[in-house]
Amino acid sequence: MVKVAILGYGTVGSGVFEVIKRNQHAIVNKIGEEIEVKYVLDLKDFEDDPVTEVLTGNFDEIVNDAEVKIVCETMGGVKPAYEFTKRALESGKSVCTSNKELVEKHGPELLRIAKANKCSYLFEASVGGGIPIIRPLRTSLAQEEILSITGILNGTTNYILTKMETEGLAFDDVLRRAQEKGYAERNPDADILGFDACRKIAILTSLAYGKNVDYADITTEGITAITDKDFAYAKKMGATIKLFAKSLKKDGRYYALVAPFVVMPENPLYAVNGVFNAILLNCNMGGETMYYGKGAGKLATASAVVADVLDCAKHIGKNLDTRWDEEKLAISPIDSAVRRFFVRVSGNDEAKIQEIFGEVELFNDVVEGECGFVTGEMTEEQYRRKAAEAGNVITMIRMD
Amino acid sequence: MVKVAILGYGTVGSGVFEVIKRNQHAIVNKIGEEIEVKYVLDLKDFEDDPVTEVLTGNFDEIVNDAEVKIVCETMGGVKPAYEFTKRALESGKSVCTSNKELVEKHGPELLRIAKANKCSYLFEASVGGGIPIIRPLRTSLAQEEILSITGILNGTTNYILTKMETEGLAFDDVLRRAQEKGYAERNPDADILGFDACRKIAILTSLAYGKNVDYADITTEGITAITDKDFAYAKKMGATIKLFAKSLKKDGRYYALVAPFVVMPENPLYAVNGVFNAILLNCNMGGETMYYGKGAGKLATASAVVADVLDCAKHIGKNLDTRWDEEKLAISPIDSAVRRFFVRVSGNDEAKIQEIFGEVELFNDVVEGECGFVTGEMTEEQYRRKAAEAGNVITMIRMD
């Protein structure tokens, strides 16, 4: 019997409580031990909910109880989650969390504290919800050099883009519908401006290379500028448009970017639709692997937290080491990144386009009064200069 | 420094040697220890290959060397791999293997011996080549009840089906080209008749439910009967045809089947093409997750073996427990499985079709002199009776 505490009885916390109760039989079968929730920390009341038996409003009760070996931090936010996590780890209790903000901000420090106190800080649920990705990176791919990571890491934006494509709707309409269905927050900025995906790719990149990526170093563009006209061009190309969170290592330099990309069917991420997330890794030995599933949602996220709980339960008194140093990983300026660009310009001056952008693949019959084209490979800086020279760019989307 | 031995310097064994050498730096970075190959067992000579320095023809030298903590069994086949594996485990050395035949035949016994000797028997590479699937099942999904497993587990057949679809070629032509390219064996029966996929789904199902699935209990059909005409119907339906290895738990009963299926684009496996493999799991809490990558190939398979080596290196003197009892898992007869069927019959007697098969979705303009239709849900037994009654069935493919 391993006793655990849950901090916060919100969506994910109540999901953790439910997964542990409902799947107790499967858990005992697999790891040979029962998991008991001894405390749930929350200041609210939950009448008629079985949680009332174990509800407490006092964190000290949890941190001072030597029987509690594992703490699930499902409060979200930095305050007081940061302090509670530190105190739990310092008292030798492992902490499992879904809190990507805290992980992104204080991951290396919390991992160091866990190691010093022979316990673990695990955060599978912080990226990709119910998709196993953090643990595979730490275990199944420990022998690999990660060459690149490309993720669809935000379900809200993927849902919006999928609906825009399949139903021909405008961004605002789909966003409103997504908010009604609960797929988008009332304040959707963190999602639609790309910040949520940015934090997640910062975490994955830090784990892939063992050093700390500051998410402020990652160029981040959201999907608010994407229109049905862009999708009309994508369709013409046999492509779709996805919000990618990408990082890669090339010639010893590291690049990272969150932005919409034009994606061809050859990319396994092309078919990842709706609220689903997926992460495509390219490794120097095993090649491409992809991990796909629900990127959010109460039970999927909670399930990932419980997977971490079981890992800790099998390793009590031992640190599950995750390499993520406080030393900063230098992200190269995006200016030097090389790729092709899809560009829409007003007017139809093909000669001018080719004069400025060189040989391009042209689409001049998709939207009246403009044309679109795909450039050859060039750096982001070269593209910016050419776009400024042209002076009539309506929009640009990077080619995958 | 952890010392290992490799049994067999064939495709996978030489790949393991290469991955350990080339990625030594990444490995030390991740697990904080060097891995040294102290022996490679092979009876052949390999002139001018760095392996000669560590080559031995004598297994006793390896098993009697207390410095060797981990053995990679990459010989394939049962004899002498079975005996060597047992002796290695009995002497407390962990064994990591890509040998699906041995795992499928003797997995439970070898796991028991490993446990009794405080070492591990790991076999990530035995299913899905370079795709992390065995370890996620054991760790990331330990909290889940697995409701179903659907895999594209054989790269050769997936390559053949993809080429038949995209290039409109006949089965025999694609098979010959695949053999020329090395994507198919000279004797391709194990692949094209479904036996390879069958062994793999037997392993995955055993791990999902903790009991032993005998692969002889799994109804297995290959792809040799699939023609361009079937693909013409699939195209009409907006679908494709894939060889699925499936198992599922329903109402306390277990089903398993390897057979071609008609697959719609909504299934994430629809887009898995060419030699790639993928496994789609449905779990009771986290829902659907999919794992995608190279199902075969020297370095991808070797990489998975090395992942197991690193796991063992982090747990020397400890058993990594995999629940897979010798007790048999009863697979229910396929007769009672319920699904829809795609059927092609000669002639065009729609009234007779509806009289026998009930309400169907009809396609009567795809191939001359016949028509195809999709039935409603019925058991396999019901379908068989109706097909016998009709007397003019050309072919049947199950609907996913």
Side-chain angles (χ1 to χ4, degrees), chain B residues 15 56 63 100 112 138 141 159 170 187-188 197 199 206 225 229 269 289 310 324 343 375:
Chain B
T56 174
V63 82
K100 65 178 168 292
R112 185 166 43 74
R138 177 165 58 82
L141 302 171
Y159 173 85
N187 178 350
R199 279 190 202 281
S206 299
K229 288 177 186 158
L269 295 170
T289 53
L310 302 194
W324 181 355
V343 187
T375 72

Side-chain angles (χ1 to χ4, degrees), chain A residues 1 3 32 43 47 51 82 124 133 137 167 170 241 269 296 334 342:
Chain A
M1 170 86 78
K3 303 206 175 182
L43 297 178
E47 268 178 54
V51 78
Y82 175 50
E124 178 67 71
I133 179 63
L137 261 179
E167 301 183 13
I241 300 169
L269 294 170
I334 193 171
F342 165 69

Side-chain angles (χ1 to χ4, degrees), chain A residues 34-78:
Chain A
E34 230 173 284
I35 304 290
E36 185 191 302
V37 178
K38 189 168 180 182
Y39 302 100
V40 171
L41 180 76
D42 208 298
L43 297 178
K44 288 201 218 82
D45 246 351
F46 300 92
E47 268 178 54
D48 301 329
D49 187 307
V51 78
T52 48
E53 288 172 36
V54 293
L55 203 63
T56 174
N58 181 6
F59 178 70
D60 287 338
E61 196 180 352
I62 294 169
V63 83
N64 293 328
D65 186 337
E67 270 194 352
V68 172
K69 302 294 184 196
I70 303 164
V71 171
C72 303
E73 187 270 290
T74 50
M75 317 179 76
V78 171

Side-chain angles (χ1 to χ4, degrees), chain A residues 9 24 30 40 53 73 87 90 102 108 111 120 135 149 156 162 207 213 223-224 261 267 270 294 325 330 343 396:
Chain A
Y9 198 65
Q24 190 65 243
K30 284 272 180 57
V40 171
E53 288 172 36
E73 187 270 290
R87 287 179 58 200
E90 281 160 0
L102 187 61
L111 285 167
S120 303
R135 182 172 290 96
I149 305 172
T156 304
T162 302
L207 294 174
V213 174
I223 62 164
T224 49
F261 277 77
N267 189 325
Y270 172 90
K294 283 187 188 160
D325 296 347
V343 188
M396 174 277 282

